[in-house]
């Protein structure tokens, strides 16, 4: 029964895709309601599966431990959370797309590939063996490419799809190679058996090699530097594609690392690479995001930065927090993309008071000292709740964002009310961080491993991460002091172009050689 329950959500969404393929043109209201009804049924089935896990899962806490079901489907806290997330976001996107694509000549085909991609993501998160996992992984790339080429005569869409194809196929090769190595090393394709053996320390050098390949596959799928360019060009596709991509598909890389967390822990080199590449991507994309004039392009760079931060969390072995990050980011980014059309109107009617005063170096220094003091006092008062050094370092990085705001409250001309309000914000943020970390650990306890005690390499990476993010936060807090310097203006121009990394990728892949169609074509000029 539980095996069928886990297979029902992707089966229902595949049925919705079949309706779209059967009527590739304009869909009537009845067909749209039928498609949405099937997706709602998938979400309801995911809720029922989570309920069954709570009722039958081992341990005393809800969603604790893992229940292996058959040879092809796996139900544990990670798959239950991800299935619920994908089902909910998928329903929202499908409902939005039904109205957004009304009047399009190939509305049915779009809905079909949208549901097919969504079903592939669902199969990925419930896969219990390596064969189904790899098939779903490849299916996601195929479906996404078809969605990116919904307007096939747009040169920009062709470039984006071409780059996505190259990096997706590279990621597919890495994942298939990793799956073969894991199957040979552990003598099985069953993911549960592999995880249990890896947790016991088995696998040897083969597991180390598989972990490196899994890391590279996740980096490709999550659009990490320098393979991120295609993600910034998907705006040529309809908005529902952007919402599904940024809120669901892009999470596949993070899910892969979380699913095979025990294997990843066997390779310190792979984790170190994730920390360095993910951390750099987060800082790089975060700075580029601030220079983008278009709402959706800024959101795309935001996704790259958020995925970089999530990859860094996996590299620090903070897998529960990485899963929490995936859920929070997906919900936020789906809303951000689907509501992006009204951004200009909201900005026109919104009145901001602006910066009360520009904080000087002394105010910035006081802000960081106060923020870290608040964080340390709260953490010390509750005994840091047994948190690992990696988690404490991550909390310090997050509090740097509050220090940036607190610096404005400590400026000379800032009113006392603003200072108090921002101090309360820093306190609430610290409490929220510890509370969410405890909830995340409790929610998926037993499904993923806890961070191991850091060795010399890990300590170096932790220090490098905290210092790097701290320096960027200080530079951001002091940005108003040098924003209008001629050197800053030139630097802003370079960052607005992403340091030209995407242009170099286009040259390497021959993207500039794509022939554009006539500008008189309404589908090109739209």
């Amino acid at each position: 029964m539980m095996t069928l329950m886990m297979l029902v959500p992707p089966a229902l969404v595949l049925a919705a895709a079949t309706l779209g393929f059967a009527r590739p043109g304009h869909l009537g209201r009845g067909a749209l309601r039928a498609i949405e009804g099937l997706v709602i049924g998938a979400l309801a089935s995911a809720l029922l599966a989570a309920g069954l896990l709570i009722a039958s899962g081992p341990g005393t806490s809800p969603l604790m431990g893992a229940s292996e079901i058959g040879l092809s489907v796996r139900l544990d806290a990670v798959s239950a959370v991800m299935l619920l997330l994908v089902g909910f976001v998928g329903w929202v996107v499908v409902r939005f797309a039904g109205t957004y694509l009304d009047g399009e000549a190939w509305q049915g085909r779009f809905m079909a590939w949208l549901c097919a991609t969504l079903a592939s993501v669902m199969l990925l998160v419930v896969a219990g063996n390596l064969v189904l996992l790899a098939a779903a992984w490849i299916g996601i790339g195929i479906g996404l490419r078809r969605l990116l080429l919904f307007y096939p005569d747009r040169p920009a869409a062709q470039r984006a799809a071409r780059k996505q194809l190259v990096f997706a196929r590279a990621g597919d090769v890495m994942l298939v190679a990793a799956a073969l190595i894991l199957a040979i090393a552990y003598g099985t394709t069953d993911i549960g058996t592999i995880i249990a053996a890896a947790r016991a320390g088995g696998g040897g050098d083969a597991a180390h090699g598989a972990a490196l390949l899994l890391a590279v596959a996740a980096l490709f799928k999550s659009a990490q530097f320098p393979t991120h360019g295609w993600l910034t060009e998907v705006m040529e596709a309809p908005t529902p594609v952007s919402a599904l991509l940024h809120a669901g598909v892009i999470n596949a890389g993070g899910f892969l690392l979380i699913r095979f967390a025990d294997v990843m822990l066997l390779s310190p080199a792979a984790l170190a690479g994730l920390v360095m590449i993910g951390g750099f991507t987060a800082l790089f994309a975060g700075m580029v995001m601030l220079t983008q004039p278009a709402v959706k392009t800024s959101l795309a760079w935001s996704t790259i930065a958020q995925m970089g931060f999530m990859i860094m969390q996996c590299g620090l072995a903070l897998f529960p927090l990485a899963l929490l990050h995936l859920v929070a980011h997906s919900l936020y980014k789906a809303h951000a993309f689907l509501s992006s059309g009204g951004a200009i109107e909201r900005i026109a009617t919104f009145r901001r008071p602006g910066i009360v005063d520009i904080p000087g170096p002394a105010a910035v220094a006081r802000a960081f000292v106060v923020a870290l003091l608040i964080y340390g006092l709260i953490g010390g008062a509750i005994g840091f709740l047994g948190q690992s050094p990696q988690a404490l370092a991550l909390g310090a990085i997050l509090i740097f964002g509050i220090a940036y705001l607190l610096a404005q409250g400590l400026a000379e001309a800032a009113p006392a009310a603003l200072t108090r309000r921002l101090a309360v914000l820093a306190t609430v943020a610290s409490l929220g961080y510890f509370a969410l970390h405890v909830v995340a650990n409790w929610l998926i306890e037993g499904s993923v491993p806890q961070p191991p005690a850091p060795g010399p390499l890990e300590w170096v990476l932790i220090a490098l991460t905290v210092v790097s993010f701290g320096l960027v936060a200080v530079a951001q807090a002091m940005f108003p002091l040098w924003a209008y310097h001629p050197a800053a203006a030139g630097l802003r121009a370079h960052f607005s172009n992403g340091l030209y990394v995407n242009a170099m990728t286009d040259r390497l892949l021959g993207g500039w050689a794509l022939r554009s169609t006539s500008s008189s074509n309404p589908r090109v000029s739209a």
Side-chain angles (χ1 to χ4, degrees), residues 303-314:
T303 294
I304 296 172
Q306 293 291 337
M307 290 299 101
F309 198 80
M310 181 273 303
I311 291 290
M312 185 187 72
Q313 288 175 311
C314 291

Side-chain angles (χ1 to χ4, degrees), residues 226-500:
T227 68
H228 58 275
W230 65 271
L231 190 61
T232 64
E233 296 182 3
V234 299
M235 309 312 152
E236 288 297 316
T239 295
V241 178
S242 300
L244 180 64
L245 170 61
H246 290 262
V249 173
I250 201 72
N251 293 334
F255 169 78
L256 183 70
L257 297 175
I258 295 170
R259 170 55 76 212
F260 292 99
D262 293 281
V263 176
M264 300 305 301
L265 290 180
L266 298 177
S267 177
L271 295 179
L274 293 175
V275 172
M276 291 185 288
I277 296 177
F280 177 80
T281 301
L283 294 174
F284 164 73
M287 289 187 287
V288 174
M289 176 195 70
L290 298 176
T291 65
Q292 300 303 304
V295 175
K296 292 178 68 175
T297 305
S298 179
L299 289 174
W301 282 102
S302 170
T303 294
I304 296 172
Q306 293 291 337
M307 290 299 101
F309 198 80
M310 181 273 303
I311 291 290
M312 185 187 72
Q313 288 175 311
C314 291
L316 293 173
L318 297 171
F319 298 105
L321 284 178
L323 182 62
L324 179 65
H325 192 156
L326 285 181
V327 174
H329 174 260
S330 294
L331 296 176
Y332 154 72
K333 197 53 64 75
H335 173 268
F337 267 103
L338 295 181
S339 62
S340 61
I344 297 177
E345 180 181 354
R346 290 193 298 273
I347 292 174
T349 58
F350 182 63
R351 296 292 181 265
R352 296 181 58 186
I355 297 177
V356 177
D357 189 18
I358 297 178
V364 172
R366 288 196 302 270
F368 277 82
V369 170
V370 170
L372 290 174
L373 183 61
I374 292 174
Y375 177 68
L377 289 175
I378 292 176
I382 59 179
F384 286 107
L385 298 175
Q387 308 241 344
S388 64
Q390 296 95 315
L392 296 178
L394 184 68
I397 292 172
L398 295 177
I399 207 67
F400 287 155
I402 300 299
Y404 159 71
L405 297 176
L406 193 58
Q408 298 184 24
L410 294 177
E412 294 183 2
L418 178 62
T419 304
R420 290 192 299 269
R421 187 160 58 248
L422 292 175
V424 171
L425 178 62
T427 303
V428 172
S430 299
L431 288 171
Y433 171 73
F434 287 112
L436 288 174
H437 194 183
V438 170
V439 170
N441 281 326
W442 167 78
L443 186 66
I444 61 174
E445 184 179 356
S447 296
V448 296
Q450 293 298 313
L457 175 62
E458 287 74 21
W459 279 114
V460 171
L461 291 173
I462 290 172
L464 178 63
T465 301
V466 173
V467 171
S468 299
F469 278 84
L471 290 176
V472 171
V474 170
Q476 186 180 21
M478 298 183 65
F479 178 76
L481 294 176
W482 50 271
Y484 298 100
H485 191 278
L491 188 63
R492 188 185 300 111
H494 295 316
F495 272 110
S496 66
N497 288 283
L499 299 183
Y500 312 102

Side-chain angles (χ1 to χ4, degrees), residues 6-99:
M6 291 299 291
L7 291 175
V8 165
L12 289 176
V13 179
L14 280 175
T18 303
L19 290 179
F21 284 124
R23 299 184 61 181
H26 179 72
L27 294 176
R29 182 171 299 181
L32 289 174
R33 288 180 175 177
I35 292 175
E36 183 182 353
L38 289 170
V39 177
I40 292 175
L43 176 58
S45 299
L47 284 169
L48 183 56
L52 291 174
L53 178 62
I54 294 174
S56 62
T60 58
S61 300
L63 294 179
M64 181 177 178
S67 298
E68 191 64 41
I69 305 183
L71 296 176
S72 61
V73 180
R74 179 174 176 83
L75 174 60
D76 62 2
V78 175
S79 59
V81 170
M82 291 298 296
L83 189 61
L84 283 173
L85 173 66
V86 175
F88 176 73
V89 172
W91 166 56
V92 173
V93 173
V94 167
R95 182 177 178 83
F96 180 88
T99 302

